[in-house]
Amino acid sequence: MESIILKIVVCFIAGIGAGLGTGFAGMSAAAAISPILITFLGMEPYEAVGIALASDVLASAVSEHTYWKNKNLDVKNGLVMMVTVLLFTTIGSWVSSLVPSTTMGNFSVFMTMILGVKFIVKPVMTTKEKMNELDSKQRVIRSILCGMMIGFICGFIGAGGGMMMLLVLTTVLGYELKTAVGTSVFVMAFTAFTGAASHFVIDGIPDVLCLAVCVLSTLLWARIAAKIANKSKPATLNRVVGVVLILIGVAIFAVDLIK
């Protein structure tokens, strides 16, 4: 009984961090869920990544729907990036199954904190009008190249994809923040599904209780975060995104020290 309660509590807490990261910043749920499950439940990294990616599917989908209703989603360009990311997510997932588990650590922890500081110190204040000035052909080319890199990382370690996508959309493609997050979760919903399916086919179905609690908790908190984000002013949202990323990065670092 105690082990079941522990599983539920750990997975619910992991879902809080993952949901807030997804709804506010388009972050992959694996950045929060994987290290927590590995450290506190002793779960194998590959299984933990599979659960995290599965949790990402509904959380990203519900967040994407909220951003879409508020007209903060670029479906056309998102589809271009999605196709490339999907292909390389599958490749990354296959490659990760051949690599020793010790290499699948907290790859994105420092990137998370650095990106968080960036949004606080140098917020993204680009308008939609300014965003649309980039030539459509150049945007497609950049989306494909960046999608290759993002997809492989997402499939390989189940983390970093959402953060890298947010960074790419706001810097390389010049998106304003809300549209960047909305487009990021739109793409992540599909890449997470592909990555989770690949993991389950290769490694089998993971712990059902952990999977269910992580999925539901992440979904709940992602919905709450997405609604708050879409009602926030750009400057406020930048600060919130920055704080959330820094807190999640610090939490992952702390969890890593506990190992």
Side-chain angles (χ1 to χ4, degrees):
M1 177 61 74
E2 290 183 358
S3 61
I4 294 178
I5 294 176
L6 176 63
K7 278 186 180 182
I8 294 174
V9 171
V10 169
C11 291
F12 185 77
I13 293 174
I16 294 176
L20 293 178
T22 299
F24 278 126
M27 189 174 172
S28 171
I33 291 178
S34 297
I36 291 177
L37 297 187
I38 293 169
T39 300
F40 294 102
L41 298 182
M43 189 175 290
E44 282 296 315
Y46 197 76
E47 181 181 10
V49 170
I51 290 176
L53 287 170
S55 300
D56 225 347
V57 178
L58 291 180
S60 292
V62 73
S63 298
E64 169 262 314
H65 180 66
T66 301
Y67 280 91
W68 173 76
K69 287 197 302 182
N70 288 274
K71 299 181 180 180
N72 292 315
L73 170 61
D74 183 359
V75 176
K76 183 178 179 180
N77 193 62
L79 287 172
V80 174
M81 183 175 285
M82 182 186 71
V83 173
T84 308
V85 172
L86 281 174
L87 174 61
F88 280 82
T89 296
T90 305
I91 295 173
S93 180
W94 174 73
V95 172
S96 70
S97 69
L98 307 177
V99 177
S101 296
T102 52
T103 66
M104 296 171 61
N106 299 322
F107 175 81
S108 58
V109 60
F110 292 110
M111 179 181 172
T112 302
M113 291 187 285
I114 291 173
L115 191 56
V117 172
K118 184 265 182 190
F119 281 115
I120 294 175
V121 176
K122 190 177 180 181
V124 177
M125 300 301 292
T126 305
T127 62
K128 290 187 178 180
E129 291 74 19
K130 182 70 175 178
M131 180 186 81
N132 292 325
E133 291 180 3
L134 180 65
D135 179 70
S136 58
K137 184 178 180 181
Q138 283 294 319
R139 181 169 289 169
V140 169
I141 294 174
R142 294 182 188 183
S143 295
I144 292 174
L145 294 175
C146 293
M148 293 169 63
M149 175 179 63
I150 293 169
F152 184 83
I153 291 175
C154 182
F156 184 72
I157 63 174
M163 286 176 292
M164 291 191 65
M165 197 172 302
L166 183 62
L167 181 62
V168 166
L169 291 175
T170 55
T171 56
V172 180
L173 297 177
Y175 277 43
E176 58 92 24
L177 188 54
K178 290 183 182 179
T179 305
V181 176
T183 305
S184 176
V185 291
F186 169 69
V187 176
M188 288 304 295
F190 293 94
T191 58
F193 176 80
T194 304
S198 299
H199 274 64
F200 294 166
V201 168
I202 294 171
D203 200 45
I205 302 299
D207 187 301
V208 176
L209 178 59
C210 288
L211 176 63
V213 176
C214 283
V215 168
L216 294 176
S217 179
T218 305
L219 175 62
L220 170 64
W221 292 98
R223 181 174 179 80
I224 293 173
K227 285 192 172 184
I228 294 174
N230 278 277
K231 293 179 181 179
S232 302
K233 294 180 180 180
T236 302
L237 182 58
N238 271 274
R239 286 192 288 267
V240 171
V241 169
V243 170
V244 169
L245 289 175
I246 291 173
L247 289 177
I248 290 178
V250 170
I252 295 173
F253 184 72
V255 167
D256 189 48
L257 292 177
I258 296 174
K259 291 181 181 179

